[in-house]
Amino acid sequence: MSTALPLAGITVVSCEQAVAAPFATRQLADLGARVIKIERPGVGDFARGYDTTVHGQSSHFVWLNRSKESLGLDLKAPEAAGIMDDLAREADVFVQNLAPGAAERLGLGAERLRELNPRLIHVSVSGYGSDGPYRTAKAYDALVQSEAGLVSVTGTEEFPAKTGISTADISAGMYAYSGILTALYTRERTGEGAALEVSLFDSLVEWMGFPLYFTRYGGSRPVRAGTSHAAIAPYGTFACGDGAQVVLAIQNEREWQRFCETVLGRPEIALDPRFDRAAQRFAHREELEAVIDEVFAGYTGDECEKLLLEAQVAHARQRDMSEVAAHPQLVDRGRWTSIDTPAGPIEAVLPPVTMSGVEYRMDPIPAVGEHSDTILAGIGRTPEQIAALHAEGTV
């Protein structure tokens, strides 16, 4: 069994902050890449300050930054340009999600760095791309969700909503990650690096494919139906007597009949003209849901689930996050592991892809500038030069 990680020997230098770029580079680090994270001296990536829930650390930061090395560096300091050039010459991948135009002003644009290192894969992550009328627009996740239409199809008709996670950032991070892997594969064959651009807006619009085509060619957007369905019933969340939330997704007549017989205990409901066909069930959804609510009120969540399993009816528990953390599927499969942080060990979820012969790297989360001296020594700076850089506040 091989123990070598697939990206061992790959070096990534990342001027990153927040979510999108750090999510991409953390996945590279999981696979063995050396990721050098450039942070502002002292304060670091501003995502470090989003909250203090994980032993005084930000939940976003500990999620996105394991297995990285932190170099504290003031990119505007005169000495920073030479340091960044030396890092870029030795890197395989350079990632940046600085403000629009900032990388170019700092001499970190794709054209210049790829002149220094033609094998370099240069990746720019932005809100809306490098051109177009929105090029310089603020691109916080909720704003991009709104511009890309995600808010228009999420929530209920009365209350549209953004998603509870950073969907735009995560989508861009995934495309940056897959784009980097593709570019590395191409470089193996051609010897040439590449310049990649990924925007939060373009990434999320791609994920909006179904409602986008549905609306463009159907004339209206899908109905905002919460956990319910725009055309199927019963479908959605129902409360049991003990407060447990059970989600139903009944999509064929066989399941419907078994549901009425075994779960509702009323087989005649399946033959009721209001409910005997899918279209009729949806047309009389409020009446149908009232019947289900009445029956479910007499069950605990466990009792209801037992009957649903017996009837082989598609269902799930609507769990809060504390329940997800202890989810039997995660626990039974050993999906939690321990990693170190500057504030002590925490539990982290393993990456979702299992790969034969590969055990993911789950190394510590760095403190700001924790690896500055080692990184600088590795690109030829003497102890005296490093001490001077500290004294000047450059690192």
Side-chain angles (χ1 to χ4, degrees), residues 72-87:
L73 181 64
D74 178 359
L75 291 174
K76 295 180 180 179
E79 296 83 354
I83 292 170
M84 291 304 299
D85 282 356
D86 287 346
L87 289 171

Side-chain angles (χ1 to χ4, degrees), residues 34-50:
R34 181 191 186 196
V35 176
I36 299 172
K37 180 182 181 78
I38 310 299
E39 301 192 76
R40 287 180 289 273
V43 295
D45 179 345
F46 60 74
R48 287 182 182 269
Y50 279 175

Side-chain angles (χ1 to χ4, degrees), residues 111-134:
E111 184 175 352
R112 181 178 177 278
L113 291 188
R114 293 197 62 241
E115 284 180 359
L116 292 178
N117 179 1
R119 287 177 54 82
L120 184 69
I121 295 162
H122 186 288
V123 186
S124 295
V125 180
S126 64
Y128 291 94
S130 60
D131 55 8
Y134 280 65

Side-chain angles (χ1 to χ4, degrees), residues 59-337:
S59 49
H60 272 88
F61 194 85
V62 298
W63 165 44
L64 296 168
N65 290 285
R66 64 176 175 249
S67 303
K68 299 180 183 179
E69 300 173 34
S70 174
L71 167 60
L73 181 64
D74 178 359
L75 291 174
K76 295 180 180 179
E79 296 83 354
I83 292 170
M84 291 304 299
D85 282 356
D86 287 346
L87 289 171
R89 287 187 183 96
E90 301 299 321
D92 298 282
V93 180
F94 178 84
V95 180
Q96 66 89 14
N97 68 335
L98 303 172
E104 286 72 22
R105 291 192 297 273
L106 292 166
L108 301 174
E111 184 175 352
R112 181 178 177 278
L113 291 188
R114 293 197 62 241
E115 284 180 359
L116 292 178
N117 179 1
R119 287 177 54 82
L120 184 69
I121 295 162
H122 186 288
V123 186
S124 295
V125 180
S126 64
Y128 291 94
S130 60
D131 55 8
Y134 280 65
R135 183 183 73 84
T136 59
K138 295 289 186 182
Y140 303 131
D141 191 88
L143 306 182
V144 178
Q145 286 193 36
S146 299
E147 290 286 352
L150 181 56
V151 172
S152 78
V153 298
T154 306
T156 65
E157 285 299 284
E158 186 179 6
F159 299 109
K162 72 176 183 67
T163 61
I165 59 173
S166 303
T167 308
D169 283 301
I170 293 167
S171 65
M174 287 302 301
Y175 284 116
Y177 168 59
S178 61
I180 290 165
L181 294 180
T182 303
L184 286 169
Y185 177 73
T186 301
R187 194 183 69 174
E188 285 297 302
R189 295 181 296 169
T190 66
E192 288 291 320
L196 310 182
E197 286 192 21
V198 181
S199 82
L200 275 66
F201 180 73
D202 290 343
S203 299
L204 192 53
V205 167
E206 166 64 19
W207 283 17
M208 295 297 295
F210 152 63
L212 186 62
Y213 287 105
F214 183 97
T215 303
R216 183 164 187 173
Y217 294 99
S220 61
R221 62 164 171 78
V223 172
R224 287 193 298 269
T227 59
S228 299
H229 196 281
I232 300 173
Y235 196 114
T237 305
F238 297 86
C240 296
D242 63 350
Q245 303 284 309
V246 174
V247 182
L248 300 178
I250 297 174
Q251 301 186 62
N252 62 63
E253 297 305 316
R254 295 187 306 278
E255 282 195 27
W256 167 241
Q257 290 163 11
R258 293 196 300 266
F259 176 74
C260 292
E261 180 178 346
T262 303
V263 183
L264 297 183
R266 297 176 60 181
E268 73 278 4
I269 292 290
L271 305 176
D272 187 311
R274 296 171 299 169
F275 311 133
D276 63 353
R277 298 186 307 280
Q280 287 295 93
R281 290 195 290 277
F282 187 75
H284 297 276
R285 181 171 63 178
E286 290 185 7
E287 298 164 74
L288 174 58
E289 290 178 350
V291 172
I292 297 171
D293 286 338
E294 180 183 1
V295 175
F296 276 30
Y299 295 141
T300 66
D302 289 344
E303 290 168 343
C304 188
E305 275 204 291
K306 183 178 179 181
L307 291 170
L308 288 163
L309 285 167
E310 182 182 334
Q312 298 180 14
V313 169
H315 69 281
R317 280 286 186 101
Q318 184 170 295
R319 301 177 188 269
D320 65 28
M321 295 314 300
S322 60
E323 291 177 301
V324 174
H327 198 293
Q329 190 71 3
L330 293 178
V331 173
D332 187 72
R333 298 179 67 226
R335 298 294 298 157
W336 288 101
T337 190

